[in-house]
Amino acid sequence: MTAAIDPYAVAAPAGRWLERLSPLAKLAGPLPAMLLLIFTRDLATPAVFLGSAYVLVLSGARLTGRVALLLFVAVPVGAAVIGLALSLWADPERVDQAVPILSVGDWTIYLGAIEVGLATGLRLAAILALGFIAGLTTTGSDLVRALVQQLRVPYRIGYTALAAFRFVPRFGYELEVIRQAHRVRGAHVGRGPVAAIARWWGYIVPLLAGAIRHAERLALAMDARAFGAHPDRTERHLLPWRRRDTVFTALFWIASASALIALFPWTL
């Protein structure tokens, strides 16, 4: 049986070039573009940023099956569904009515409404894809270390949040152990909604007990290491801000500003 690796307990191995950048650089670079995309209304601007984000992710991150499914299925399908759904809710009086697409009785959907809906869906997809630059290439532990070391976030807050994040994979592991124990004992067998409710109800008490035990052990471990007794702590893993982080952030800002100035999706 292969033990599951806690993604928050180990440092990310050396991988492709995005994974070697500082987590803060991968957040600071796309952040202005993500904020400005909220106020765009055209199709071209989010399409440019969506394509740029895909190029960066595909060239700088590991392309696993889950990542490929997310990039090439979930995001395009989600953007299309959201865009078409929003086009049905667009106010006909505020869209271009030159080209009607479909009429059902007194109701008509116009090409302008579809363009407005797709622009919204594409804008959400572009913001999400820009977030993937950091999200798919950064571990939670590295992000917390960068915040504490570079932005001077109090380590009491940073490492407490990291401990809370690590509860999630811990709960998943304990839930699987409880399920296996119930199968061995033949508890809550059967099919149907009643049996499913009985099974899940049997998981709650041991899962809560395990969570309390884990919280007590974590509190004792933090007390044993004098957590919170001093204003700062010695870091085992250092994440310095390097020259390549400055270059990446500056180039991203310049490219974003050039695209926004060239397309200028706002009306003066």
Side-chain angles (χ1 to χ4, degrees):
M1 180 177 178
T2 303
I5 297 177
D6 183 354
Y8 297 104
V10 296
R16 305 185 74 173
W17 67 273
L18 272 179
E19 298 176 358
R20 294 192 292 268
L21 293 176
S22 170
L24 298 182
K26 291 179 285 187
L27 287 174
L31 186 59
M34 295 169 68
L35 295 176
L36 291 174
L37 279 173
I38 299 175
F39 304 101
T40 61
R41 292 297 180 268
D42 64 331
L43 286 167
T45 304
V48 169
F49 282 97
L50 179 63
S52 302
Y54 267 53
V55 170
L56 291 176
V57 171
L58 293 177
S59 64
R62 291 184 180 88
L63 188 62
T64 62
R66 183 176 298 180
V67 172
L69 184 65
L70 177 67
L71 294 178
F72 299 114
V73 178
V75 172
V77 171
V81 170
I82 292 175
L84 293 177
L86 292 177
S87 65
L88 301 177
W89 292 90
D91 187 359
E93 301 298 329
R94 302 183 63 180
V95 300
D96 185 6
Q97 301 181 6
V99 182
I101 299 298
L102 178 65
S103 296
V104 179
D106 295 335
W107 177 79
T108 302
I109 184 171
Y110 299 94
L111 179 61
I114 295 178
E115 290 177 350
V116 170
L118 291 179
T120 304
L122 197 61
R123 184 164 64 251
L124 294 175
I127 295 173
L128 187 62
L130 290 172
F132 288 159
I133 296 174
L136 295 178
T137 60
T138 306
T139 62
S141 57
D142 282 347
L143 178 59
V144 170
R145 293 187 188 109
L147 291 173
V148 172
Q149 296 173 22
Q150 302 301 325
L151 295 186
R152 299 296 185 265
V153 173
Y155 74 90
R156 298 174 182 85
I157 298 176
Y159 290 113
T160 301
L162 180 60
F165 290 152
R166 291 182 60 185
F167 266 76
V168 177
R170 179 72 184 184
F171 281 165
Y173 171 76
E174 292 195 357
L175 179 60
E176 185 59 29
V177 171
I178 294 169
R179 285 176 174 174
Q180 293 177 2
H182 281 206
R183 292 193 193 102
V184 170
R185 297 170 183 173
H188 306 300
V189 296
R191 297 181 178 180
V194 177
I197 293 174
R199 281 196 300 272
W200 280 100
W201 185 256
Y203 299 154
I204 293 176
V205 174
L207 191 61
L208 289 176
I212 293 173
R213 287 195 301 268
H214 180 64
E216 290 178 347
R217 291 194 295 266
L218 180 62
L220 290 174
M222 295 172 74
D223 285 340
R225 290 164 174 81
F227 186 84
H230 302 283
D232 54 11
R233 296 186 67 86
T234 302
E235 298 287 346
R236 180 182 178 186
H237 300 284
L238 297 178
L239 292 175
W241 181 276
R242 299 180 176 89
R243 185 179 301 174
R244 61 194 181 198
D245 302 316
T246 303
V247 171
F248 173 81
T249 304
L251 289 179
F252 208 107
W253 287 353
I254 293 172
S256 300
S258 301
L260 290 172
I261 292 174
L263 296 171
F264 204 80
W266 304 285
T267 301
L268 294 178

